[in-house]
Amino acid sequence: DGTRVLTVTPAAAGVSAVTGLVLQGPTIAAGAVSVDGIARPSCVAVSSDGSLLIGDTAVPAGVPIPLKNCVWHVDQVGGYDLAGAPPEPQPVALATLTLSNVVAVAVRPAQGGAPETLYVLDLSGHLFAVPAPFRTSAATQVASLAPASGGLWPVGMTVDPASGDLLVLDRGSRPPE
C-alpha cells in the first residue's frame, strides 16, 4: 500500500527524474477526522485535463480511525476538489461511491456522445462509473465482475484507447504475492 504519489519524468538516456507529489493527508485529532485527505493511495489514473484520480484505501481493517475508501480528484499541482464552509477536501461522489477496498481506477475519454468517465473497481468486483464533471456527479454501479463461483481478485484496470473497453487484470482467487 502506498503512502505517497511519485512522478517520474522518463529520460531518453540516463537517469530519470523522480519527485514526490505533495498532497495533504488527513488531519486526525482525538480519534476523529478534522480535515480529510489522502491516507493510503493505492491506484491512479489521469483525466483528459491532466488532473489525477487517486484511489485511497484509507486505513487497514481494525484501525479505529473513521477514514473511508474513496477516490480523490487532484489537480496538476496537488490541489483537491473542495466543498463546504470552510472549504475542505471532498472525495469524488462521496455519497454514492460505496467502496470496501478500491483496487483500480481508469478514465475513459469522452466518445460517441458520452462524457469522459471515471471507472472505479472495488476488490468485491463492483465496478462503478462517474461521468465528468467528477466533483458533482453521482457514481453508478455498472457491473459486478464477481463470478457466481467466486474466484475474483482484481489488481488493476486500464482503458483500451482504440475501443474504449475496460481491461481488468484479475488474479483469480489468489491474493497478490
Side-chain angles (χ1 to χ4, degrees), residues 87-113:
E88 294 185 2
Q90 183 72 37
V92 170
L94 180 62
T96 55
L97 188 57
T98 54
L99 302 169
S100 61
N101 193 348
V102 59
V103 295
V105 292
V107 177
R108 185 174 71 182
Q111 64 183 53

Side-chain angles (χ1 to χ4, degrees), residues 1 40 42 56-58 69-70 98-104 120-125 153-154:
D1 291 324
R40 291 191 330 164
S42 59
D56 184 358
T57 58
N69 270 250
C70 62
T98 54
L99 302 169
S100 61
N101 193 348
V102 59
V103 295
V120 181
L121 181 60
D122 194 61
L123 183 60
S124 66
W153 202 290

